[in-house]
Amino acid sequence: AQTVTQSQPEMSVQEAETVTLSCTYDTSENNYYLFWYKQPPSRQMILVIRQEAYKQQNATENRFSVNFQKAAKSFSLKISDSQLGDTAMYFCAFHDYTSGTYKYIFGTGTRLKVLA
Amino acid sequence: DSGVTQTPKHLITATGQRVTLRCSPRSGDLSVYWYQQSLDQGLQFLIHYYNGEERAKGNILERFSAQQFPDLHSELNLSSLELGDSALYFCASQGGYQETQYFGPGTRLLVL
């Protein structure tokens, strides 16, 4: 069965510093997508970044970037120049679009607190 | 704004009652997913519909059911409600199978 593991339940970082959130997953598929979603205190789920497994280049969106290691099945999120507004729960998600069910599997989340 | 709408935003009801949550996907999206998120918990996948057909079921209780209508909006029906059903219920929509899933704002259900 496909699984997504986020081993860091909570993290904190000083404002303007860099932090990396870890995510590992397990699948036998070769083609899939990986995502990071952010859930601030408002509890809205917001897409942060997306990575296609067939692309070797790591995705980047402004201060957010990923380190995608396909062989190691690792997908970490790096937040640079952390801002107070980055305080949120972060969920890693795996999307299997080859099985026909288009299933999304979410990790348990990492609660990130940015300190002033 | 993701373009996905959910109504109502808040719902307070009593144990044993039945409620219906509604979701309208983004224009053109054929897929709707339903998730349950209890307080300080992760997302539990409930059910997925694609163009009116059920495609996948997750940990959805027998007391819960869903459907997707010809206009592609979806409804999640929760019956014989229990205190433990109190949660935030999200729907998310997706266009093609290789596209990103976008979430609605959620419906906060409180069962008293």
Side-chain angles (χ1 to χ4, degrees):
Chain A
Q2 293 151 340
T3 59
V4 175
T5 302
Q6 292 180 251
S7 59
Q8 305 152 313
E10 293 187 2
M11 295 188 74
S12 62
V13 62
Q14 288 294 135
E15 197 175 7
E17 297 293 309
T18 294
V19 64
T20 298
L21 309 184
S22 300
C23 173
T24 59
Y25 58 95
D26 189 23
T27 183
S28 57
E29 302 293 340
N30 192 47
N31 296 314
Y32 47 88
Y33 291 111
L34 295 162
F35 303 86
W36 280 97
Y37 283 88
K38 167 185 176 181
Q39 188 177 42
S42 67
R43 301 192 77 183
Q44 170 74 51
M45 291 288 288
I46 302 165
L47 176 68
V48 175
I49 202 164
R50 152 182 157 148
Q51 174 78 44
E52 291 86 349
Y54 61 83
K55 288 187 178 179
Q56 291 187 337
Q57 186 173 8
N58 289 323
T60 299
E61 286 288 342
N62 301 315
R63 299 181 296 105
F64 298 88
S65 62
V66 298
N67 182 3
F68 173 50
Q69 304 285 334
K70 190 173 184 180
K73 296 179 183 174
S74 170
F75 182 60
S76 60
L77 174 70
K78 185 170 84 170
I79 306 174
S80 304
D81 186 25
S82 296
Q83 301 176 359
L84 295 178
D86 296 334
T87 292
M89 193 76 154
Y90 287 82
F91 292 97
C92 176
F94 168 93
H95 174 41
D96 167 20
Y97 63 84
T98 59
S99 68
T101 61
Y102 316 142
K103 190 181 296 186
Y104 275 78
I105 300 169
F106 285 80
T108 52
T110 295
R111 187 179 302 279
L112 177 67
K113 188 169 185 179
V114 180
L115 306 171
Chain B
D1 185 359
S2 67
V4 180
T5 60
Q6 288 187 249
T7 56
K9 287 187 179 179
H10 301 276
L11 197 49
I12 301 174
T13 189
T15 54
Q17 294 298 305
R18 172 189 170 94
V19 297
T20 297
L21 313 183
R22 181 188 170 105
C23 170
S24 293
R26 296 187 316 155
S27 178
D29 282 1
L30 300 178
S31 273
V32 171
Y33 296 76
W34 285 97
Y35 295 90
Q36 179 192 54
Q37 186 181 33
S38 301
L39 192 63
D40 291 332
Q41 298 293 313
L43 288 162
Q44 295 295 320
F45 166 67
L46 295 177
I47 199 163
H48 168 217
Y49 278 85
Y50 179 83
N51 200 21
E53 293 187 6
E54 180 187 304
R55 281 295 178 92
K57 264 187 175 179
N59 298 323
I60 187 166
L61 300 171
E62 286 191 10
R63 300 184 284 108
F64 295 1
S65 65
Q67 53 183 331
Q68 185 179 29
F69 294 86
D71 67 352
L72 300 177
H73 91 272
S74 178
E75 293 181 357
L76 179 67
N77 300 296
L78 315 176
S79 61
S80 302
L81 285 167
E82 301 175 359
L83 297 178
D85 298 328
S86 296
L88 183 56
Y89 291 84
F90 285 107
C91 84
S93 82
Q94 182 187 29
Y97 62 88
Q98 289 187 340
E99 297 189 26
T100 298
Q101 185 176 199
Y102 291 93
F103 283 80
T107 293
R108 295 176 193 251
L109 173 67
L110 178 60
V111 182
L112 299 175

